[in-house]
Amino acid sequence: MPSFPSLPNFHKTGRAATTARPRVPVPTARAIVDCGVYVDGKRLPGRFTPQQALAEARGTDSGFVWVGLHDPDETQMNDIAQIFGLHPLAVEDAVVGRQRPKLERYDDTLFLVMRTVSYVEHDMHAISEIVETGDIMVFTGPHFAITVRHGEHTGLSGVRRALEGHPDQLRMGPPSVLHAVADHVVDSYVETTESIEEDVNEMEEAVFTPNSKVGIESIYQLKREVVELRRAVSPLGVPLERLVNNQDLPVPTEFRRYMRDVADHHVSVNEQIAYFDEALSSLVNAALAKISVQQNTDMRKISAYAAMAAVPTMIAGVYGMNFDYMWELHQRWAYPAVVALMAVLCALLFRSFRRNKWL
């Protein structure tokens, strides 16, 4: 018998038969937004790689490197970690993102995690997202500051330009970057709360306007977004307090003075968010009470019209029965008199209900 070549197995289809494509690594330079060397409060001219920048900074007494990263993957972040000696746990948090705000110390390196928020324009009475969140992580150590940003909002290019315009602050070294980024994040909290305050005031005006109809869904949506804002903002208070009061952290005294102002602004934002939560809870109760009052008013109107309809129905029901001996059957004025009696009784009921504000 002639031999035939074996045929391929066509039964293995789907995901199991699909050959996994190798992942093409993305160069670390793709994740680097900016890399600058700062000496004595001024940025050195030229372009540097992270290795070159760190070597240049270590050759000076007060120089440091500021590397800005945007959405780095694991490979890119590991490359940066090898250059600057970052702790693996902090690197993992920086890659994953969506971390709770915190401050960690690894030897001489500080790792600060902050949540960013941004206000999203929306229709007041439509279900939509109001607060968009992201992450910013800051590594500071001897001769370097590294910022890692996740999300498309709250960029740091303006922070870098503003800080480069204040050489006296840059002379503090890497802590100056930590303060500038924290101050920028807290300022974004202030802007977001101001925008939400306008929404809360508009919602409050709509709820208490006579004859207005406000859906409970809109209030609950705004309240849910305020809760999301609180989860992003409130936990940052503990790290800021540690930066201000913990004397064991490797930061200068002047830096603590700057951070005290940032912490004060953060406290004000927390108080404002707590007010929003209480105000929206009150608006929910007020809206429910308004709906209950409206339902009671509708029921009174229905009951009033039913009572007015019951009078002619009762009289018509009596005269609709087939009886021979009824005193008004053979009198010409009987029918008009009965109709007039029904009209008079309905008018009296209408007047009574209107006087009692049922109609």
Side-chain angles (χ1 to χ4, degrees):
M1 295 292 292
S3 61
F4 295 96
S6 58
L7 297 176
N9 188 1
F10 293 101
H11 296 285
K12 295 182 178 181
T13 59
R15 294 186 178 180
T18 303
T19 303
R21 295 182 179 179
R23 185 177 179 181
V24 179
V26 180
T28 305
R30 292 284 187 87
I32 298 177
V33 179
D34 197 354
C35 179
V37 180
Y38 299 87
V39 178
D40 196 23
K42 296 181 180 180
R43 179 169 181 167
L44 297 183
R47 299 174 63 89
F48 300 89
T49 64
Q51 298 92 331
Q52 295 170 346
L54 184 60
E56 186 73 21
R58 285 176 173 173
T60 63
D61 295 333
S62 59
F64 71 94
V65 184
W66 182 359
V67 180
L69 304 174
H70 181 223
D71 284 333
D73 59 22
E74 184 177 0
T75 303
Q76 295 167 341
M77 198 65 211
N78 285 332
D79 291 342
I80 297 295
Q82 291 178 0
I83 296 172
F84 294 94
L86 305 180
H87 196 277
L89 292 177
V91 173
E92 181 181 357
D93 291 342
V95 173
V96 175
R98 309 295 295 178
Q99 301 293 321
R100 180 181 175 87
K102 61 181 179 179
L103 176 66
E104 300 287 348
R105 179 180 179 181
Y106 302 95
D107 296 330
D108 293 334
T109 302
L110 293 181
F111 176 55
L112 177 63
V113 179
M114 293 173 286
R115 297 293 304 278
T116 61
V117 297
S118 177
Y119 181 78
V120 179
E121 295 294 338
H122 60 283
D123 184 5
M124 172 56 64
H125 301 293
I127 303 300
S128 59
E129 186 180 27
I130 301 175
V131 176
E132 183 181 8
T133 59
D135 302 272
I136 289 183
M137 292 85 165
V138 182
F139 296 86
T140 59
H143 300 290
F144 71 85
I146 302 172
T147 55
V148 181
R149 180 169 62 92
H150 294 279
E152 298 301 326
H153 63 279
T154 317
L156 298 178
S157 58
V159 177
R160 186 185 290 265
R161 290 193 300 269
L163 190 58
E164 289 174 356
H166 296 80
D168 294 338
Q169 190 173 350
L170 270 174
R171 290 190 181 95
M172 286 193 303
S176 64
V177 177
L178 182 62
H179 164 261
V181 175
D183 186 55
H184 173 68
V185 171
V186 174
D187 285 345
S188 68
Y189 294 166
V190 174
E191 295 175 359
T192 303
T193 53
E194 289 176 351
S195 299
I196 292 181
E197 184 178 11
E198 296 178 0
D199 287 345
V200 174
N201 293 336
E202 184 178 348
M203 189 73 71
E204 185 176 8
E205 182 179 357
V207 169
F208 292 104
T209 299
N211 301 323
S212 64
K213 295 182 180 180
V214 179
I216 300 296
E217 296 85 359
S218 300
I219 304 178
Y220 272 118
Q221 171 69 9
L222 186 56
K223 183 175 176 61
R224 188 185 68 83
E225 294 297 319
V226 169
V227 172
E228 180 70 17
L229 179 63
R230 169 179 279 182
R231 290 175 180 173
V233 173
S234 296
L236 185 59
V238 175
L240 293 180
E241 184 180 359
R242 287 185 59 194
L243 288 172
V244 172
N245 298 321
N246 194 337
Q247 301 296 328
D248 296 332
L249 296 179
V251 292
T253 303
E254 187 67 18
F255 166 80
R256 300 181 190 277
R257 296 193 182 101
Y258 281 103
M259 291 303 301
R260 188 174 293 111
D261 180 68
V262 176
D264 291 341
H265 291 170
H266 183 266
V267 171
S268 300
V269 171
N270 268 334
E271 293 175 351
Q272 192 75 358
I273 294 174
Y275 162 74
F276 293 157
D277 195 13
E278 295 177 1
L280 290 173
S281 298
S282 301
L283 287 181
V284 169
N285 295 331
L288 292 175
K290 190 175 181 180
I291 292 174
S292 179
V293 170
Q294 184 63 39
Q295 290 177 343
N296 291 335
T297 301
D298 295 339
M299 288 301 299
R300 286 190 300 179
K301 289 182 179 181
I302 294 172
S303 300
Y305 286 120
M308 292 169 58
V311 172
T313 301
M314 179 187 65
I315 298 175
V318 172
Y319 286 95
M321 294 184 293
N322 297 322
F323 288 99
D324 278 339
Y325 300 102
M326 298 184 70
W327 65 273
E328 73 278 8
L329 285 179
H330 303 291
Q331 297 175 0
R332 294 182 178 275
W333 52 267
Y335 179 76
V338 172
V339 174
L341 178 62
M342 289 190 295
V344 170
L345 292 177
C346 290
L348 291 176
L349 287 175
F350 182 82
R351 181 182 179 185
S352 176
F353 291 138
R354 177 61 65 88
R355 182 181 301 173
N356 294 328
K357 297 182 179 180
W358 280 42
L359 293 175

